[in-house]
Amino acid sequence: MEWEFTPEDVVKGYSGYGLAEFRRDLAEEVRINVGDDAERFARVYHLLYDLCYALATNKDFEAHLSAYAYDPPTVQFLRELQPLMEDNVAMLGAILQRQIMDRVAAGMPLETAIADVAEWHRQSIAAEPAAAD
């Protein structure tokens, strides 16, 4: 995905780009690449989003792949796409960092803010992406 602003702009609050917009944009990018097959769209979208989230939250890439060890084609797919997702990972990381910073600025201790953002994220992604409707 390409933006007219940087992850740094998001972290500093210069851009109001948030999680809903990121999910919408990723869904659109996936839709363009996989077509209208709803099952394939959902599988690819979730694989890519989970990859972005894992890497944006500093999970080890190999540890992330180990969850798919039973499915070598998926592991290969993620290995091939990982370098192409770097900008998306940086943007999602910036969105999450902005959320944490907002909570800390409001007086929340850092560890509490991190846990709160993790819960906010879990609840926010419970719905399917807008483009999947």
Side-chain angles (χ1 to χ4, degrees):
M1 295 183 294
E2 293 185 24
W3 302 274
E4 295 179 4
F5 47 88
T6 67
E8 185 176 323
D9 292 335
V10 172
V11 169
K12 290 183 177 183
Y14 301 151
S15 171
Y17 191 73
L19 185 60
E21 294 84 5
F22 178 85
R23 288 171 44 86
R24 178 202 62 223
D25 291 348
L26 181 62
E28 184 58 29
E29 186 173 281
V30 170
R31 169 105 38 236
I32 288 167
N33 287 292
V34 303
D36 291 327
D37 180 333
E39 186 176 318
R40 186 170 181 215
F41 165 82
R43 179 158 167 75
V44 171
Y45 172 83
H46 290 293
L47 281 170
L48 294 181
Y49 186 84
D50 289 348
L51 175 65
C52 288
Y53 183 76
L55 297 178
T57 56
N58 295 320
K59 184 173 183 181
D60 179 72
F61 180 60
E62 293 302 320
H64 180 71
L65 291 181
S66 70
Y68 302 101
Y70 67 91
D71 187 0
T74 296
V75 171
Q76 184 61 32
F77 176 72
L78 292 172
R79 280 191 193 286
E80 291 173 5
L81 286 180
Q82 185 266 336
L84 303 174
M85 300 303 289
E86 289 179 2
D87 290 343
N88 293 348
V89 168
M91 188 58 75
L92 181 56
I95 291 165
L96 297 171
Q97 186 176 350
R98 179 77 248 162
Q99 290 293 318
I100 292 166
M101 290 172 58
D102 287 348
R103 286 160 174 77
V104 169
M108 193 178 280
L110 178 60
E111 292 302 317
T112 304
I114 292 169
D116 192 66
V117 169
E119 178 59 21
W120 165 82
H121 177 264
R122 187 188 65 73
Q123 291 178 10
S124 297
I125 66 165
E128 288 297 312
D133 295 338

